[in-house]
């Protein structure tokens, strides 16, 4: 399966670097005209820069490393091309609250994972993953031995969940599935398994098993 990372900001760049370090061939895309090309020039490994439209035509798994509203936009714009494919959602639906903190953009009891899953085209599957850590932790926490750190994930589809678990492993973390998308809220910001929620830190698989 071919993986594309759409959006090369804080999270997208780090996810791409971690996957490349794990030997994965990835496609990278951003709406900026040069960001993806510059990223490929500067990275050692197997990455190809394409436009968003070309990446979506070619890949099977998409890590949409953009903000919640931008993911909604991508799902609408590329609805036909995304049918049957796997969408990975790392989003945390928050915005600055004007007092130095963050506020949730959707009702407290809802998750972006479930909202976005409801917007998928026929046959597409959503996996909630790669959003539980801040970008610096995703960088420094990868490939720790002997006990790898964990990335939590959630999906309603076993095959899609397994495919993304393989990507998590390749990116230098241990995948810990926490259940279906109805559990997404636990791994979004403020959730009990998020670095910016009650958990507040990187954890190893041994620690994670007591939490899930
Ligand atoms: N930052 C973190 O530590 C962190 C942690 C966990 C989860 N997340 C989640 O990860 C997602 C990305 O966050 P981020 O901090 O990486 O954001 P970011 O630094 O703003 O990066 C987003 C990138 O995507 C590009 N982009 C925006 N809309 C696009 C579109 N429609 N098509 C292609 N590229 C597009 C942006 O380009 P422009 O700048 O030119 O618009 C930018 O390069 C968010 O959902 C966030 O909640 C972030």
């Amino acid at each position: 399966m071919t993986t594309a990372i759409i959006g090369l900001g804080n999270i997208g760049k780090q996810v791409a670097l971690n996957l490349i370090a794990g030997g994965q061939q990835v496609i990278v895309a951003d709406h900026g005209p040069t960001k993806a090309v510059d990223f490929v020039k500067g990275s050692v490994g197997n990455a190809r820069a394409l436009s968003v439209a070309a990446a979506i035509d070619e890949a099977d798994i998409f890590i949409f490393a953009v903000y919640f509203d931008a993911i909604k936009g991508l799902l609408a714009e590329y609805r036909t091309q995304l049918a049957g494919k796997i969408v990975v959602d790392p989003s945390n639906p928050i915005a600055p609250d004007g007092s130095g903190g963050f506020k949730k953009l959707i009702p407290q009891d809802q998750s972006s994972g479930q909202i976005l899953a409801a917007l998928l085209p026929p046959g597409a599957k959503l996996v909630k993953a790669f959003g539980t850590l801040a970008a610096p932790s995703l960088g420094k926490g990868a490939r720790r031995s002997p006990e790898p750190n964990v990335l939590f994930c959630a999906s309603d589809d076993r095959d899609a969940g397994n495919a993304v678990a393989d990507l998590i492993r390749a990116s230098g973390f241990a995948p810990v599935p926490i259940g279906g998308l109805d559990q997404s809220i636990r791994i979004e910001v403020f959730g009990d398994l998020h670095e910016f929620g009650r958990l507040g830190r990187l954890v190893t698989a041994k620690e994670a098993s007591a939490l899930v």
Side-chain angles (χ1 to χ4, degrees):
M1 289 219 215
T2 305
T3 304
I5 295 115
I6 313 290
L8 286 173
N10 299 303
I11 281 292
K13 261 190 209 161
Q14 192 57 59
V15 169
L17 288 170
N18 285 354
L19 287 171
I20 292 165
Q24 295 283 305
Q25 295 187 9
V26 296
I27 292 170
V28 289
D30 192 282
H31 64 178
T34 57
K35 237 183 262 181
V37 172
D38 289 347
F39 175 85
V40 168
K41 274 189 205 146
S43 68
V44 181
N46 262 321
R48 275 188 305 137
L50 293 181
S51 67
V52 174
I56 289 180
D57 273 343
E58 202 171 309
D60 312 289
I61 305 182
F62 304 97
I63 301 174
F64 279 159
V66 298
Y67 277 89
F68 175 63
D69 280 341
I71 299 180
K72 282 191 191 172
L74 287 165
L75 291 178
E77 187 175 352
Y78 296 101
R79 188 166 175 79
T80 308
Q81 298 91 318
L82 287 170
K85 299 200 175 180
I86 298 173
V87 171
V88 180
D89 164 32
S91 70
N92 289 304
I94 52 169
D97 63 5
S99 320
F102 288 92
K103 62 177 182 210
K104 202 161 163 174
L105 294 171
I106 57 177
Q108 287 301 328
D109 61 345
Q110 292 186 21
S111 65
S112 55
Q114 281 183 291
I115 293 172
L116 293 171
L119 303 175
L120 290 177
K125 278 103 189 174
L126 188 132
V127 181
K128 186 87 209 172
F130 288 107
T132 47
L133 297 176
S137 302
L138 205 52
K140 70 171 192 266
R143 269 168 251 290
R144 288 302 177 90
S145 96
E147 277 279 317
N149 287 309
V150 153
L151 283 180
F152 296 103
C153 49
S155 177
D156 289 341
D157 184 273
R158 197 180 53 184
D159 291 344
N162 286 340
V164 175
D166 286 344
L167 287 182
I168 290 174
R169 269 183 220 100
S171 78
F173 288 86
V176 175
I178 61 154
L181 291 173
D182 59 351
Q183 300 299 306
S184 295
I185 198 163
R186 298 186 69 194
I187 57 175
E188 293 180 6
V189 70
F190 310 134
D192 66 317
L193 297 176
H194 196 279
E195 189 181 11
F196 294 151
R198 254 183 287 150
L199 187 56
R201 61 194 173 87
L202 285 153
V203 288
T204 63
K206 214 182 277 174
E207 293 173 285
S209 61
L211 300 168
V212 169

